Amino acid sequence: MKKGHWNLITDVPNVHVGHVTLYEKLNEEDTICTGVTAILPHEGNLFEQKVPAASFVLNGFGKTVGLVQVEELGVVESPIMLTNTFSVAAVLEGTLDYMLEQNPSIGDSTSSLNIIIGECNDSHLNSMRVRAVKPEHAISAIHNAKQAPFKQGAVGAGKGMICYEQKGGIGSSSRIAERDGERFTVGVLSLTNFGNAGECRFANWQQDSPIEKPDGSVIIVVATDALVSDRQLKRLAKRAAIGLGRTGTHIHNGSGDIIIAFSTAYTIPHQSASPIGEPVAFVRDDSKLMNDLFQATIEATEESIYQSLLHAETTVGRKNRVVKKAEFNKKKIGS
């Protein structure tokens, strides 16, 4: 399918992405090699103008925040934040500080707030126990977010991540679904930290010494401007799992494989004078356009995995461990 202008999740109207990357050798044992990535469905007040959303847990070995309420109410009302496993609390605190400053009513004259955070374990390269990520890094990632091209690979939350035993991290891609005069964009951002070299279906990577690391995880964020409901967004999220599977992963026992999907086509106000919401005309489930959106999600997810590898660079982490940039023929995986 056709790619978006930048071939990034920010091709979806209103979507913003920002990073904070932390990289510092502390001593012979410890290296800070981590960061934070923020995905904003729009640049306005996300609490006051929520977006429809859904999540799908392919394998639940993960320490996410906020998915229970997304599942229950079908909305996102905060930035979607990505980081390492031991930094979830700090990122939660920073994102909460940002949202409370923006919304004095939260916890006072109105309800509480649901913040969404996804994580992957980067402890092979990053000294996670140091907990270098602080609340202010989460705030900076949000402030850095723009609807523009952004860095991929070993940046932000992806700085210390490993994919198929090669250097992974942040990858993104987009596709255009066009039919009967309608045109919608599907964009995907993936945080890749999974897989053994032998599983990979798009390159012949044979490791003489397999990397001894936790099973790993992947967080996939799907965005679209299509007029779809939260129920339909869950259907898109499930298709992202097909794109992930195309690359070869077995979805290991200790892997947190989690997908979050949202639409920017309309917003849901936090408050309304009417008990009845505004009517929205959704894409029909039985339409060919819905099938196109499924295909777009699968293709963009698959390529986002490749992009995380293509843009990463060889990285030296804690205990002087080295994870090399992937080497392969781009034509073998190029879409």
Side-chain angles (χ1 to χ4, degrees), residues 74-118:
V75 297
V76 160
E77 60 183 20
S78 81
I80 299 169
M81 308 297 291
L82 306 178
T83 191
N84 75 68
T85 310
F86 286 178
S87 296
V88 169
V91 171
L92 175 61
E93 183 178 353
T95 308
L96 179 60
D97 287 343
Y98 169 82
M99 294 297 293
L100 290 178
E101 182 177 358
Q102 194 179 42
N103 298 275
S105 64
I106 294 176
D108 182 14
S109 59
T110 190
S111 62
S112 62
L113 169 70
N114 188 51
I115 292 170
I116 300 171
I117 304 172

Side-chain angles (χ1 to χ4, degrees), residues 110-131:
T110 190
S111 62
S112 62
L113 169 70
N114 188 51
I115 292 170
I116 300 171
I117 304 172
E119 57 77 30
C120 293
N121 185 336
D122 60 8
S123 61
H124 184 79
L125 289 174
N126 175 46
S127 296
M128 265 198 337
R129 291 174 61 91
V130 173
R131 291 181 288 173

Side-chain angles (χ1 to χ4, degrees), residues 11-23:
D11 287 321
V12 178
N14 300 320
V15 175
H16 291 54
V17 172
H19 300 301
V20 165
T21 304
L22 305 177
Y23 187 50

Side-chain angles (χ1 to χ4, degrees), residues 221-290:
V221 180
V222 180
T224 184
D225 60 346
L227 287 156
V228 288
S229 67
D230 57 305
R231 177 185 59 79
Q232 292 171 318
L233 284 164
K234 181 176 282 290
R235 301 187 77 200
L236 292 185
K238 290 178 179 179
R239 269 62 181 188
I242 306 301
L244 173 64
R246 283 183 173 184
T247 69
T249 177
H250 297 169
I251 316 297
H252 293 189
N253 171 68
S255 186
D257 303 275
I258 295 162
I259 303 151
I260 302 161
F262 64 86
S263 173
T264 65
Y266 59 99
T267 59
I268 299 133
H270 177 66
Q271 294 179 324
S272 175
S274 171
I276 308 300
E278 293 292 326
V280 177
F282 298 123
V283 174
R284 287 181 58 93
D285 286 313
D286 61 356
S287 69
K288 292 181 178 178
L289 179 58
M290 182 59 76

Side-chain angles (χ1 to χ4, degrees), residues 51-73:
V51 296
S55 64
F56 176 60
V57 178
L58 186 59
N59 197 64
F61 204 104
K63 290 78 183 170
T64 54
V65 173
L67 295 191
V68 172
Q69 187 167 315
V70 172
E71 184 73 12
E72 184 70 20
L73 299 182

Side-chain angles (χ1 to χ4, degrees), residues 148-167:
F150 56 87
K151 290 184 178 180
Q152 300 179 76
V155 295
K159 181 60 183 177
M161 303 303 174
I162 303 167
C163 185
Y164 290 124
E165 299 185 63
Q166 320 298 311
K167 189 65 192 76

